[in-house]
Amino acid sequence: MAAARVACDVCREDQLQMECCSGGLLRGGGGSTTALPDAAADGGEEEQQPDRISALPDDLLLRILTCLGCARAAAHTALLARRWRGLWARLPELSFHCIAPAPLQAALAMVVPTPALLDIDLCHYSHHALGSSGVASLLGAAAAVAPAEFVFHVAVTVRGNPVVLPCFDRTASIKLDVRSVDFTLPPPPAGGFPALESLHLDYCSIDLADMIPRCPRLRKLSIPSWNSDTLTVCSPSLEELGVYAIVQISSINIVTPVLKRLYLNAHCGISTNFGFAFSAPAVEDLTWKCECKIISYSFGVLWRMWSMSFELMQLSNNSECATLQPQHHPRVGVLSLILETSVFIGVSTRSFEQEISRFQVIANLSVLELNVSSQGHVYGAIVLHLLGLCPHVQRLRVMPYDFGVENACFANYRCDQPNNWRSQSISLTDLIEVEIGGFRGQDHEVDLLKVILRCAPVLEIVTVRFSRKVSLSDSGCMGINGILKAYPSVQFNIYY
């Protein structure tokens, strides 16, 4: 194989560190390989006394070479016997690593078309940085091989002109991990992907509105690092979609009639003028995650909503609200919010209600999870406000996470606002289960529990988990006893 003789010194050192290439076949220096044994070199004795392995049929030899997991190692077996020469090019699975671009392209030209897998991994070798032309050249050579599955990892690229992604008309799975490359497609009618079922794009970009219509059989689309502010996915065949956006999203348009699984994480949030269109009537497993940073001054102290996530999941009928269960349990919507008090002064253009409604999740909501960092402040009013936004909630979890904060707030804070929240009445006609964690038995915590009990006529289970800092003799623990007696129909689970 040409790559063995012209690989650069850095690649050679890397090769010798790998199990598949460290068996002594590359010990020679200066680009040469270890000399062949005399019998193999002249070919005479090999023909008179062939070894037993070389006598095996090609199919069995190819299975042996496949076990090496490395195209280079398979090519180097020709040093042992002439019978093995050229067999590597017919391997059903080809993996290339630690190889310079030029010999790699020469090797691809020798490959017999349509292997089951072509895996090119240049991720760890920054000394072979590729420009746009280098990436395009390797992709063109790979497309000519026409593998059923194609994996292409390149760690370092030099930004340049967009790279035209060639047509892979017989490839069912493509995984591209190419840093800082913008892909384009050739103008129609060229550049189709008629066999493509799975597409994975990482650290690179492409116009999905142009790509997806050219993939009539696409079932799975995965984008771990989406770097465009718009996301348009319209596909009649797509069943799984996963996107992790690394820039702020301004527009989402998803129309997928047979989509079953959806994961969308807008890590950097969504813009103020957010456009949202979503149609996936068959979806069963759904997760929205979004960074928010919405601010509210309506509760006496500045509250900030850091993030919001919505999931469709299967729940049991016990007190563990987020436990995945077998298929016979119905799927319900779970909204999780992370809230904290803050000294940051800022202006928010949206309310909590507007932020939640932008993803159209309230109508399908059954479980509300509030992760609250109150820094010792009163949080009853904001909890009741969010409950009022979700009138059909069946389960509520309130989980404070005040790390190391033990004392109540200073007396001059007005966090107990509005001052009538303890007498508030909200409609909680569907609420059947409540769990409150980190309970310290402070007056405002007890009062919040009383309001919920009073407004939830069908409440069945209340779970209270006391903070480790609370003693059984504290007034808050004693106050729980009176609540237990006042609501004998409710099952209380108290954990100290």
Side-chain angles (χ1 to χ4, degrees), residues 284-296:
E284 298 175 352
D285 185 354
L286 181 149
T287 299
W288 298 111
K289 291 188 177 181
C290 178
E291 187 176 271
C292 301
K293 299 183 180 179
I294 303 302
I295 299 171
S296 174

Side-chain angles (χ1 to χ4, degrees), residues 449-460:
L449 184 56
K450 289 179 179 179
V451 174
I452 293 174
L453 285 164
R454 186 179 70 247
C455 297
V458 297
L459 190 62
E460 298 176 0

